[in-house]
Amino acid sequence: MKFFVDTAEIDEIRELHELGMVDGVTTNPSLIAKSGRDILEVTKEICALVDGPVSAEVVATAADAMISEGRKLAQIASNIAVKVPLTWDGLKACKVLTGEGKMVNVTLCFSANQAILAAKAGATFVSPFIGRLDDINLDGLDLIADIREIYDNYDFDTEILAASIRSANHMSDCAKIGADVATAPAKVIKAMASHVLTDKGLTAFLADAEKAGIKIL
Ligand code: G3P
Protein backbone atom coordinates (compact mmCIF):
# COMPACT_ATOMS: atom_id res chain seq x y z
CA MET A 1 0.00 0.00 0.00
CA LYS A 2 1.35 3.41 -0.93
CA PHE A 3 1.52 6.10 1.74
CA PHE A 4 0.45 9.62 0.87
CA VAL A 5 0.71 12.28 3.55
CA ASP A 6 -2.35 14.45 3.99
CA THR A 7 -0.88 17.86 4.72
CA ALA A 8 0.41 21.10 3.24
CA GLU A 9 3.08 21.48 5.93
CA ILE A 10 6.50 21.27 4.26
CA ASP A 11 8.37 20.25 7.42
CA GLU A 12 6.04 17.29 8.03
CA ILE A 13 6.43 16.12 4.44
CA ARG A 14 10.22 16.50 4.54
CA GLU A 15 10.62 14.48 7.74
CA LEU A 16 8.57 11.54 6.46
CA HIS A 17 10.08 11.77 2.99
CA GLU A 18 13.61 11.38 4.41
CA LEU A 19 12.46 8.05 5.90
CA GLY A 20 11.03 6.87 2.58
CA MET A 21 7.48 7.03 3.97
CA VAL A 22 6.03 9.39 1.37
CA ASP A 23 4.81 8.04 -1.96
CA GLY A 24 2.73 11.14 -2.57
CA VAL A 25 0.91 14.04 -0.92
CA THR A 26 -2.73 15.09 -0.72
CA THR A 27 -3.93 18.58 0.05
CA ASN A 28 -7.35 20.17 0.13
CA PRO A 29 -8.55 23.76 0.59
CA SER A 30 -8.82 23.29 4.38
CA LEU A 31 -5.21 22.07 4.63
CA ILE A 32 -3.96 24.90 2.38
CA ALA A 33 -5.86 27.43 4.52
CA LYS A 34 -4.33 25.89 7.67
CA SER A 35 -0.82 26.27 6.21
CA GLY A 36 -1.42 30.00 5.68
CA ARG A 37 0.45 29.74 2.38
CA ASP A 38 -0.50 30.66 -1.19
CA ILE A 39 -1.84 27.53 -2.90
CA LEU A 40 0.33 27.83 -6.02
CA GLU A 41 3.52 28.53 -4.05
CA VAL A 42 3.16 25.83 -1.43
CA THR A 43 2.03 23.24 -3.96
CA LYS A 44 5.06 23.99 -6.14
CA GLU A 45 7.33 23.50 -3.14
CA ILE A 46 5.70 20.17 -2.28
CA CYS A 47 5.99 18.97 -5.89
CA ALA A 48 9.71 19.75 -5.88
CA LEU A 49 10.20 17.73 -2.69
CA VAL A 50 8.20 14.63 -3.60
CA ASP A 51 8.42 12.55 -6.77
CA GLY A 52 4.98 10.94 -6.45
CA PRO A 53 1.55 12.45 -7.11
CA VAL A 54 0.64 15.65 -5.28
CA SER A 55 -3.10 16.30 -5.15
CA ALA A 56 -4.16 19.93 -5.47
CA GLU A 57 -7.87 20.66 -5.27
CA VAL A 58 -9.99 22.96 -7.39
CA VAL A 59 -12.33 25.41 -5.68
CA ALA A 60 -14.79 25.99 -8.54
CA THR A 61 -18.03 24.01 -8.69
CA ALA A 62 -19.01 24.25 -12.37
CA ALA A 63 -17.31 21.80 -14.74
CA ASP A 64 -15.85 24.41 -17.09
CA ALA A 65 -14.35 26.42 -14.24
CA MET A 66 -12.99 23.26 -12.60
CA ILE A 67 -11.35 22.34 -15.90
CA SER A 68 -9.71 25.77 -16.15
CA GLU A 69 -8.50 25.60 -12.55
CA GLY A 70 -7.31 22.03 -13.08
CA ARG A 71 -5.28 23.07 -16.12
CA LYS A 72 -3.67 25.87 -14.12
CA LEU A 73 -2.87 23.56 -11.19
CA ALA A 74 -1.44 20.94 -13.58
CA GLN A 75 1.02 23.54 -14.90
CA ILE A 76 2.69 23.70 -11.48
CA ALA A 77 4.54 20.40 -12.02
CA SER A 78 4.26 17.11 -13.86
CA ASN A 79 3.38 15.22 -10.65
CA ILE A 80 0.20 17.20 -9.92
CA ALA A 81 -3.01 15.19 -9.53
CA VAL A 82 -5.94 17.58 -9.96
CA LYS A 83 -8.46 16.97 -7.21
CA VAL A 84 -12.13 17.44 -8.07
CA PRO A 85 -15.19 16.76 -5.92
CA LEU A 86 -17.43 13.79 -6.62
CA THR A 87 -20.28 15.78 -8.13
CA TRP A 88 -21.75 15.46 -11.61
CA ASP A 89 -19.71 18.49 -12.67
CA GLY A 90 -16.64 17.04 -11.00
CA LEU A 91 -17.06 13.86 -13.05
CA LYS A 92 -17.30 15.94 -16.24
CA ALA A 93 -14.10 17.75 -15.29
CA CYS A 94 -12.45 14.42 -14.48
CA LYS A 95 -13.28 13.03 -17.92
CA VAL A 96 -11.88 16.08 -19.72
CA LEU A 97 -8.73 16.43 -17.59
CA THR A 98 -7.83 12.72 -17.72
CA GLY A 99 -8.47 12.90 -21.49
CA GLU A 100 -5.70 15.50 -21.60
CA GLY A 101 -3.36 13.08 -19.83
CA LYS A 102 -3.57 14.72 -16.40
CA MET A 103 -3.86 12.70 -13.19
CA VAL A 104 -7.19 13.29 -11.45
CA ASN A 105 -8.16 12.46 -7.88
CA VAL A 106 -11.94 12.42 -7.39
CA THR A 107 -12.52 13.30 -3.77
CA LEU A 108 -15.35 13.39 -1.22
CA CYS A 109 -16.49 9.88 -2.17
CA PHE A 110 -18.97 8.43 0.32
CA SER A 111 -20.64 5.57 -1.57
CA ALA A 112 -19.83 2.64 -3.83
CA ASN A 113 -22.07 4.13 -6.52
CA GLN A 114 -20.01 7.32 -6.51
CA ALA A 115 -16.84 5.25 -6.79
CA ILE A 116 -18.22 3.38 -9.82
CA LEU A 117 -18.91 6.70 -11.54
CA ALA A 118 -15.41 7.98 -10.76
CA ALA A 119 -13.89 4.88 -12.37
CA LYS A 120 -16.17 5.21 -15.41
CA ALA A 121 -15.05 8.86 -15.76
CA GLY A 122 -11.44 7.66 -15.90
CA ALA A 123 -10.27 8.87 -12.47
CA THR A 124 -6.65 8.10 -11.59
CA PHE A 125 -7.62 7.99 -7.90
CA VAL A 126 -10.89 7.91 -6.00
CA SER A 127 -10.83 9.17 -2.41
CA PRO A 128 -13.39 7.52 -0.11
CA PHE A 129 -13.49 9.31 3.28
CA ILE A 130 -13.37 6.77 6.10
CA GLY A 131 -13.40 8.97 9.20
CA ARG A 132 -16.28 11.16 8.10
CA LEU A 133 -18.46 8.06 7.54
CA ASP A 134 -17.47 6.74 10.97
CA ASP A 135 -18.41 10.17 12.37
CA ILE A 136 -22.04 9.59 11.34
CA ASN A 137 -22.15 5.99 12.62
CA LEU A 138 -21.54 4.37 9.25
CA ASP A 139 -18.53 2.15 8.57
CA GLY A 140 -15.88 3.82 6.43
CA LEU A 141 -13.85 0.62 6.13
CA ASP A 142 -16.89 -1.23 4.74
CA LEU A 143 -16.91 1.31 1.92
CA ILE A 144 -13.23 0.64 1.15
CA ALA A 145 -13.98 -3.11 1.02
CA ASP A 146 -17.03 -2.60 -1.23
CA ILE A 147 -15.08 -0.45 -3.68
CA ARG A 148 -12.17 -2.93 -3.70
CA GLU A 149 -14.58 -5.76 -4.58
CA ILE A 150 -16.33 -3.79 -7.32
CA TYR A 151 -13.13 -2.47 -8.90
CA ASP A 152 -11.64 -5.99 -8.90
CA ASN A 153 -14.81 -7.42 -10.48
CA TYR A 154 -14.27 -5.21 -13.51
CA ASP A 155 -10.51 -4.59 -13.48
CA PHE A 156 -11.03 -0.86 -13.12
CA ASP A 157 -7.66 0.94 -13.19
CA THR A 158 -8.72 3.70 -10.77
CA GLU A 159 -6.70 3.47 -7.57
CA ILE A 160 -8.50 3.46 -4.22
CA LEU A 161 -6.99 6.27 -2.16
CA ALA A 162 -8.38 5.80 1.34
CA ALA A 163 -8.73 9.24 2.95
CA SER A 164 -10.01 10.87 6.13
CA ILE A 165 -7.89 8.41 8.06
CA ARG A 166 -7.90 9.16 11.76
CA SER A 167 -6.00 6.30 13.42
CA ALA A 168 -3.12 3.88 12.97
CA ASN A 169 -5.65 1.03 12.95
CA HIS A 170 -7.29 2.57 9.90
CA MET A 171 -3.94 2.21 8.11
CA SER A 172 -3.52 -1.52 8.77
CA ASP A 173 -7.22 -2.14 8.09
CA CYS A 174 -6.90 -0.40 4.71
CA ALA A 175 -3.81 -2.47 3.93
CA LYS A 176 -5.69 -5.70 4.81
CA ILE A 177 -8.60 -4.73 2.57
CA GLY A 178 -6.24 -3.84 -0.26
CA ALA A 179 -6.57 -0.09 -0.66
CA ASP A 180 -3.99 0.99 -3.24
CA VAL A 181 -3.08 4.12 -1.28
CA ALA A 182 -3.82 5.51 2.17
CA THR A 183 -3.44 9.20 2.85
CA ALA A 184 -3.08 10.22 6.46
CA PRO A 185 -1.85 13.10 8.59
CA ALA A 186 1.82 12.79 9.61
CA LYS A 187 0.83 12.16 13.23
CA VAL A 188 -1.18 9.07 12.23
CA ILE A 189 1.72 7.67 10.19
CA LYS A 190 4.05 8.26 13.14
CA ALA A 191 1.54 6.64 15.54
CA MET A 192 1.92 3.40 13.56
CA ALA A 193 5.33 2.99 15.24
CA SER A 194 3.90 3.09 18.77
CA HIS A 195 3.23 0.04 20.91
CA VAL A 196 2.97 -0.06 24.68
CA LEU A 197 4.91 -3.35 24.80
CA THR A 198 7.74 -1.80 22.76
CA ASP A 199 7.99 1.02 25.32
CA LYS A 200 7.78 -1.41 28.25
CA GLY A 201 10.33 -3.80 26.75
CA LEU A 202 12.76 -0.99 25.95
CA THR A 203 12.53 0.39 29.51
CA ALA A 204 13.42 -3.07 30.89
CA PHE A 205 16.30 -3.58 28.43
CA LEU A 206 17.77 -0.17 29.25
CA ALA A 207 17.48 -0.79 33.01
CA ASP A 208 19.30 -4.12 32.62
CA ALA A 209 21.98 -2.50 30.44
CA GLU A 210 22.57 0.15 33.05
CA LYS A 211 22.77 -2.39 35.91
CA ALA A 212 25.23 -4.52 33.94
CA GLY A 213 27.24 -1.50 32.87
CA ILE A 214 26.86 -2.38 29.19
CA LYS A 215 28.54 0.23 27.00
CA ILE A 216 28.90 0.14 23.25
CA LEU A 217 30.60 3.44 22.46
O1 G3P B 1 -7.92 13.43 2.75
C1 G3P B 1 -9.08 14.02 3.23
C2 G3P B 1 -8.87 14.49 4.61
O2 G3P B 1 -8.09 15.65 4.62
C3 G3P B 1 -10.11 14.68 5.38
O3 G3P B 1 -9.83 14.27 6.64
O4 G3P B 1 -10.11 14.12 9.06
O5 G3P B 1 -10.91 16.16 7.81
O6 G3P B 1 -12.11 14.00 7.60
P1 G3P B 1 -10.80 14.66 7.85
Side-chain angles (χ1 to χ4, degrees):
M1 184 172 74
K2 285 175 275 192
F3 279 18
F4 287 4
V5 59
D6 196 31
T7 185
E9 303 297 331
I10 298 290
D11 289 347
E12 291 182 351
I13 298 166
R14 188 177 287 115
E15 185 190 359
L16 289 167
H17 185 253
E18 281 167 2
L19 276 175
M21 301 288 180
V22 179
D23 301 304
V25 173
T26 50
T27 66
N28 60 40
S30 305
L31 294 171
I32 297 288
K34 197 171 155 207
S35 78
R37 305 271 315 271
D38 171 76
I39 182 171
L40 300 177
E41 267 176 36
V42 72
T43 306
K44 192 172 178 184
E45 222 174 297
I46 297 169
C47 287
L49 192 61
V50 172
D51 292 332
V54 174
S55 290
E57 187 161 344
V58 301
V59 290
T61 52
D64 284 350
M66 279 193 237
I67 292 164
S68 300
E69 289 184 353
R71 287 177 180 148
K72 181 161 181 183
L73 291 169
Q75 280 172 2
I76 295 172
S78 58
N79 54 337
I80 284 286
V82 178
K83 210 170 178 190
V84 299
L86 213 159
T87 58
W88 198 248
D89 279 66
L91 293 168
K92 286 184 192 171
C94 173
K95 184 74 183 156
V96 170
L97 292 168
T98 54
E100 294 174 357
K102 297 171 178 56
M103 290 188 283
V104 176
N105 176 0
V106 181
T107 190
L108 290 167
C109 172
F110 293 96
S111 76
N113 278 331
Q114 289 181 314
I116 292 170
L117 293 178
K120 298 291 278 183
T124 317
F125 303 102
V126 67
S127 291
F129 276 34
I130 297 174
R132 292 191 194 185
L133 283 169
D134 292 353
D135 287 345
I136 57 162
N137 292 325
L138 295 172
D139 192 330
L141 290 166
D142 278 353
L143 176 60
I144 303 296
D146 287 348
I147 300 171
R148 180 73 283 155
E149 183 181 343
I150 291 166
Y151 280 12
D152 287 350
N153 283 346
Y154 298 100
D155 284 334
F156 283 131
D157 291 333
T158 301
E159 293 193 34
I160 302 171
L161 196 173
S164 185
I165 286 182
R166 308 271 177 79
S167 70
N169 282 350
H170 275 159
M171 293 295 278
S172 43
D173 286 334
C174 283
K176 279 196 278 185
I177 292 166
D180 300 286
V181 189
T183 189
K187 69 169 189 237
V188 171
I189 296 174
K190 285 176 152 186
M192 293 170 76
S194 296
H195 199 290
V196 66
L197 292 179
T198 304
D199 297 342
K200 194 176 164 196
L202 184 59
T203 303
F205 287 158
L206 294 178
D208 288 342
E210 197 176 331
K211 255 190 265 165
I214 297 172
K215 285 198 171 42
I216 297 171
L217 295 174

